[in-house]
Amino acid sequence: MESTISSSLSGSSSSPLLPSPSRRLGSKSQASVSFPNLRHPSFKSRTFPVPSFWRQNKPIRSQSSNHQPHGDGFVLEDVPHLTDFLPNLPSYPNPLQQSQAYAVVKKTFVSSSDAVAQEVVVQDDSPRGVHFRRAGPREKVFFHSKEVRACIVTCGGLCPGINTVIREIVCGLSYMYGVEEILGIEGGYRGFYSKNTLQLTPKVVNDIHKRGGTFLRTSRGGHDTHKIVDNIQDRGINQVYIIGGDGTQKGAALIYKEVEKRGLKVAVAGIPKTIDNDIAVIDKSFGFDTAVEEAQRAINAAHVEVESVENGIGIVKLMGRYSGFIALYATLASRDVDCCLIPESPFYLEGQGGLVEFIEQRLKENGHMVIVLAEGAGQEYIAQHMHAAGEKDASGNKLLLDVGLWLTERIKDHFAKGQKMAINMKYIDPTYMIRAIPSNASDNIYCTLLAHSAVHGAMAGYSGFTVGPVNSRHAYIPISRVTETQNTVKLTDRMWARLLASTNQPSFLDRNEMQQRVDLINSNIENTSI
């Protein structure tokens, strides 16, 4: 990995300095230290090799104007800028300076020195740690409004809020920056080279936020970097907005790299999407609140059903391939759930301390029970019983077995043996109903902020970035940071303890087994294909 120090030859030496951008050493990102008397917000205009004594296995500290280290451990994980490879790119005054909407705003533009801390809870003697560049409008932009030809594409599975993001990107570009040329790429990444496009205007997208799904349609797989960039180049597109999950964002990173290689003035912005809330770094993914809210309807229906019969057992299967956040939060919000099973925490059926023993106990106490089950829970256990092959979908995701139907049948078989107890089993799978609904009010607002942050970043010349809230402040994040790992429920954190206390269910694991399971989950999450 080549390390560089970036500095500028412009600006006054007496100007206040921002602590230097830096990549974490040991990651795949390029490490750099910057001195910020620069004429544009990329903080990179010239690069020089880093002396060997800088290449240490620790974050590079910031530098002040007299080149003395602050010693505060400040690290800025910066995102690429078009001037990194197009140094003579002209800048323009931001059109928001003339905006009537922003006329009353006390501080219209985000300062180039604003950063968002990844960790908000620190000790008095701890270093300041990793920060990300704060999202928002900049005083200077690197695209003239009339020259912008933007495109928007949606990839992967459905999620509440996709249409809101599309709408607000279009309206943000049009109303805030006066952009007139906006294309919608239909059908995911394949749409780039299958010539399926729509001309998008605020009028065209006016009411799409009221619908579920994606106005532009979607698909899995189909990523061909060279074909996509060829098409971008042929059509004269210079801003690309990519809405999708882990695999989609990896594809966005490859598109940016190819754009940089060809020296094209094209800003590539990612908007992370996953209903499972498994994207790293950001506080949560859009559509998650809507999913949890809609899951309540299924849980409530199951509770009504089982409460109305003798020995009623209700199983509700929710989304959560590798991460059980929807099941966790829906359970905590409901208060009608007796047991929550997620991928991060294994369970076993028979024997002392097993699930069926707990079911028997709860039926004797209450006469009914509700189980919430994430789709990825118990997959290793099921595969052993069914001798299933590890098939994958077009995105490279392992195809999951239906744990809900499997668990339903196993519980029925258990209670049928020896006529132990007559039970009434109810199974509800609302997965596609949840995925297909429009986003609620909270997610609509969140999607608006995501879209506007992406638009501001692209207009300011940033590229190869994704957007999202970090400690409730929107930031520009290197794509590699949100794709290098997946966010999972930590069994050793307080939130899982709150769930166990709420449901009064057994954990099925002791403390050592919990930590072993955490390590196993982290090592077994496969890299998703594009």
Side-chain angles (χ1 to χ4, degrees), residues 55-244:
R55 295 173 182 166
Q56 305 175 44
N57 189 23
K58 61 182 180 179
I60 298 175
R61 295 174 183 264
S62 55
Q63 301 290 315
S64 64
S65 57
N66 59 5
H67 294 199
Q68 294 298 315
H70 288 294
D72 58 3
F74 181 99
V75 177
L76 179 66
E77 294 210 17
D78 208 359
V79 296
H81 194 273
L82 292 177
T83 53
D84 293 348
F85 59 92
L86 297 171
N88 297 320
L89 207 61
S91 63
Y92 311 93
N94 194 317
L96 288 179
Q97 291 179 357
Q98 309 300 324
S99 169
Q100 184 177 0
Y102 278 79
V104 296
V105 177
K106 185 177 181 180
K107 188 177 180 182
T108 301
F109 302 112
V110 171
S111 170
S112 61
S113 62
D114 285 356
V116 179
Q118 183 174 11
E119 298 294 335
V120 69
V121 178
V122 296
Q123 287 70 47
D124 57 2
D125 59 347
S126 63
R128 292 179 64 187
V130 173
H131 292 67
F132 301 101
R133 190 172 293 283
R134 185 182 175 191
R138 266 52 180 178
E139 190 170 0
K140 295 290 185 180
V141 296
F142 286 80
F143 289 93
H144 193 282
S145 300
K146 299 301 180 183
E147 75 176 9
V148 174
R149 193 171 204 215
C151 76
I152 306 170
V153 64
T154 59
C155 308
L158 297 182
C159 174
I162 297 176
N163 282 334
T164 305
V165 175
I166 296 171
R167 182 189 191 277
E168 295 310 316
I169 291 175
V170 174
C171 292
L173 283 168
S174 179
Y175 295 149
M176 291 190 295
Y177 289 99
V179 174
E180 297 176 355
E181 286 286 323
I182 308 170
L183 298 176
I185 307 297
E186 294 185 287
Y189 277 135
R190 290 187 181 91
F192 277 103
Y193 45 86
S194 59
K195 306 295 183 182
N196 296 326
T197 60
L198 290 173
Q199 190 73 33
L200 301 180
T201 65
K203 185 175 181 180
V204 170
V205 300
N206 182 56
D207 63 350
I208 64 172
H209 63 290
K210 299 176 183 178
R211 313 177 207 169
T214 166
F215 175 71
L216 297 176
R217 296 187 293 115
T218 186
S219 66
R220 295 188 182 276
H223 183 96
D224 186 316
T225 304
H226 292 284
K227 283 186 178 180
I228 291 171
V229 178
D230 285 345
N231 189 265
I232 290 171
Q233 195 169 359
D234 292 343
R235 295 186 184 186
I237 293 169
N238 51 22
Q239 289 186 10
V240 183
Y241 297 91
I242 301 173
I243 306 168

Side-chain angles (χ1 to χ4, degrees), residues 159-167 209 211-213 243 273 286-287 290 435 437-440 443-444 447-448:
C159 174
I162 297 176
N163 282 334
T164 305
V165 175
I166 296 171
R167 182 189 191 277
H209 63 290
R211 313 177 207 169
I243 306 168
K273 169 202 67 68
F286 73 82
T290 304
R435 284 162 40 117
I437 64 171
S439 53
N440 63 12
D443 271 322
N444 270 335
C447 289
T448 300

Side-chain angles (χ1 to χ4, degrees), residues 20-38:
S20 61
S22 172
R23 310 278 197 247
R24 295 175 309 151
L25 295 182
S27 71
K28 296 180 180 178
S29 306
Q30 186 183 43
S32 64
V33 177
S34 294
F35 300 90
N37 290 342
L38 304 185

Side-chain angles (χ1 to χ4, degrees), residues 248-481:
T248 301
Q249 297 305 313
K250 289 178 181 177
L254 292 177
I255 292 171
Y256 163 71
K257 287 297 183 183
E258 183 63 23
V259 164
E260 181 185 32
K261 180 180 177 181
R262 299 188 190 187
L264 304 177
K265 185 185 176 183
V266 178
V268 180
I271 297 93
K273 169 202 67 68
T274 170
I275 202 168
D276 292 347
N277 196 38
D278 59 359
I279 294 179
V281 181
I282 65 173
D283 296 344
K284 66 178 178 181
S285 53
F286 73 82
F288 177 71
D289 280 352
T290 304
V292 171
E293 183 178 304
E294 188 67 13
Q296 300 302 292
R297 302 178 189 273
I299 294 172
N300 183 60
H303 185 251
V304 169
E305 287 284 345
V306 300
E307 202 177 30
S308 302
V309 295
E310 185 178 2
N311 294 329
I313 301 175
I315 296 180
V316 180
K317 188 181 80 171
L318 300 174
M319 291 78 68
R321 178 178 292 274
Y322 300 115
S323 305
F325 286 105
I326 293 179
L328 166 63
Y329 278 78
T331 295
L332 282 172
S334 170
R335 307 294 175 179
D336 287 330
V337 178
D338 297 275
C339 185
C340 177
L341 304 173
I342 60 175
E344 296 87 341
S345 181
F347 63 92
Y348 54 97
L349 291 177
E350 309 290 343
Q352 184 176 1
L355 179 61
V356 291
E357 180 183 85
F358 175 65
I359 293 173
E360 289 178 4
Q361 175 188 343
R362 193 53 61 95
L363 290 179
K364 290 176 182 177
E365 292 173 355
N366 299 336
H368 65 272
M369 77 174 299
V370 174
I371 300 172
V372 166
L373 181 66
E375 62 181 330
Q379 288 294 316
E380 298 167 6
Y381 195 39
I382 308 169
Q384 292 175 3
H385 285 78
M386 300 182 67
H387 307 288
E391 298 180 6
K392 296 184 179 182
D393 63 18
S395 293
N397 298 311
K398 186 177 179 181
L399 292 175
L400 301 181
L401 301 169
D402 194 330
V403 64
L405 291 175
W406 175 83
L407 184 60
T408 298
E409 294 304 317
R410 292 301 300 270
I411 292 174
K412 284 181 179 179
D413 292 344
H414 172 82
F415 284 98
K417 290 177 182 178
Q419 298 180 338
K420 286 186 177 181
M421 186 184 297
I423 62 170
N424 285 284
M425 180 68 69
K426 311 293 181 182
Y427 175 53
I428 299 176
D429 182 357
T431 300
Y432 291 103
M433 295 175 65
I434 293 174
R435 284 162 40 117
I437 64 171
S439 53
N440 63 12
S442 174
D443 271 322
N444 270 335
I445 295 170
Y446 177 27
C447 289
T448 300
L449 296 177
L450 284 174
H452 287 188
S453 293
V455 167
H456 293 316
M459 290 297 298
Y462 294 114
S463 187
F465 69 90
T466 190
V467 298
V470 179
N471 293 321
S472 301
R473 293 289 184 179
H474 283 247
Y476 298 134
I477 306 164
I479 292 178
S480 61
R481 284 303 314 275

